[in-house]
Each structure stands twice: as structure tokens, then as C-alpha cells.
């Protein structure tokens, strides 16, 4: 059975929450009909699940860790810090994870996926992929952000 995009992006984070270690389950979620943002301390520094517009290809999703602070230098520092761990991220999650500067001075570590239909099987796969990404990247994020806070003192 096909699942509407708005229901899919609302449901995936809750399924992913149950797949995470207990110490990573306390995230908050911000929703729009086409995306979900999961965050711990700062909403602007979040994991994102988004149905990409068709200009990126039909039936494509992105999963990523987005640094969308208004402090563009912070976004760049976090990206640079993460780039040091990109081999580890790719080893754990797959070679199709990328780190790049993006729009509006934002940066991100992300992957994309194609799908034929948004159904329960794809929802479960996506939730697992999101949970795996958080499990791998949140400890790196904490390490990198701690380093940057120390440097800025």
C-alpha cells in the first residue's frame, strides 16, 4: 500500500527512534509535509529526511546531517571537522555519503536514495538507514562540535 509523503516523513523518525540506542532516542522532530528534521540541542543543526523535488529526479529522498546555522563559519567548521571522519562514515554507512557546502552558507553530510513506491517496506528500510546514520554520526558530531567550542574560547 502506498504511503503519502507527509505520512512517510512523519512516521520514519518514530520508527527510527525505536532502532536507536537508548542514549540517542531523545531527539525532537520538526515536520513539514515533505520533510522531517530531527535534532538534539539546536534545531538548525539537524538530521533531515526530505522528499527531493522532481528537479533532482523522480522519487528521490535525501537523508543527511545538515548544518544550517546562521553562523556560516560554524557550518563550515562543522563540515571541515566531519570531513576528517568521512572515511569512517562511508565505511559504516556506504560509499554514497557526501560532505559538501550547500545553499545559504549551509553545509551537510548526506546521501540520496531512489524508490519506486513509498510503502511500508521502504519506510522500514529508510528508518533503519536514518537510525544507522544517527548512530554513526551523532558521536562524531559531538566530538567535532566540542572541539569547535574549545577552539572558539
Amino acid at each position: 500500500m502506498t504511503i503519502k509523503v507527509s505520512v512517510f516523513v512523519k512516521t520514519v523518525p518514530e520508527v527510527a527512534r525505536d532502532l536507536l540506542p537508548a542514549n540517542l532516542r531523545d531527539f525532537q522532530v520538526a515536520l513539514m509535509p515533505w520533510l522531517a528534521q530531527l535534532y538534539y540541542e539546536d534545531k538548525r543543526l539537524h538530521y533531515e529526511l526530505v522528499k527531493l523535488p522532481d528537479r533532482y529526479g523522480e522519487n528521490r529522498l535525501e537523508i543527511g546531517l545538515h548544518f544550517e546555522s546562521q553562523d556560516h563559519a560554524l557550518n563550515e567548521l562543522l563540515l571541515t571537522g566531519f570531513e576528517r571522519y568521512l572515511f569512517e562514515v562511508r565505511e559504516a554507512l556506504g560509499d554514497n555519503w557526501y560532505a559538501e557546502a550547500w545553499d545559504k552558507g549551509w553545509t551537510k553530510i548526506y546521501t540520496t536514495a531512489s524508490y519506486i513506491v513509498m510503502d511500508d517496506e521502504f519506510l522500514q528500510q529508510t528508518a533503519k538507514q536514518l537510525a544507522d546514520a544517527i548512530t554513526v554520526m551523532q558521536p562524531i558530531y559531538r566530538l567535532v562540535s566540542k572541539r569547535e567550542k574549545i577552539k572558539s574560547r
Side-chain angles (χ1 to χ4, degrees):
M1 184 165 134
T2 301
I3 301 171
K4 289 174 46 175
V5 173
S6 59
V7 173
F8 186 89
V9 298
K10 180 180 179 181
T11 307
V12 167
E14 297 314 315
V15 174
R17 188 185 307 270
D18 291 338
L19 300 173
L20 288 167
N23 67 326
L24 294 176
R25 291 182 184 162
D26 64 342
F27 59 79
Q28 297 179 55
V29 179
L31 293 170
M32 291 181 218
W34 64 92
L35 71 80
Q37 296 174 335
L38 295 68
Y39 61 96
Y40 292 92
E41 294 96 25
D42 185 341
K43 184 179 175 188
R44 295 181 185 151
L45 308 173
H46 59 263
Y47 295 90
E48 187 164 299
L49 167 67
V50 60
K51 161 63 174 87
L52 294 171
D54 286 344
R55 69 178 177 266
Y56 295 104
E58 276 190 53
N59 297 337
R60 296 194 56 78
L61 285 181
E62 177 183 304
I63 296 173
L65 175 55
H66 289 214
F67 306 126
E68 297 179 2
S69 167
Q70 291 183 3
D71 181 347
H72 298 172
L74 173 62
N75 297 337
E76 189 62 37
L77 284 170
L78 290 168
L79 178 67
T80 300
F82 246 91
E83 285 175 332
R84 294 181 201 130
Y85 296 94
L86 198 53
F87 286 112
E88 289 89 339
V89 169
R90 287 179 173 162
E91 184 177 314
L93 300 175
D95 290 337
N96 58 341
W97 281 83
Y98 305 96
E100 66 182 37
W102 186 46
D103 197 19
K104 302 177 186 178
W106 298 340
T107 60
K108 62 182 179 176
I109 296 88
Y110 73 100
T111 191
T112 61
S114 295
Y115 61 92
I116 295 170
V117 63
M118 281 188 176
D119 59 10
D120 191 57
E121 181 180 348
F122 185 64
L123 187 148
Q124 297 297 325
Q125 291 170 354
T126 303
K128 172 135 179 36
Q129 188 176 24
L130 178 60
D132 290 347
I134 293 170
T135 301
V136 169
M137 291 197 290
Q138 190 62 19
I140 296 170
Y141 168 78
R142 288 178 178 155
L143 179 66
V144 168
S145 64
K146 182 177 175 184
R147 276 191 200 143
E148 297 314 324
K149 288 176 187 172
I150 291 169
K151 285 182 183 178
S152 65
R153 286 186 186 167

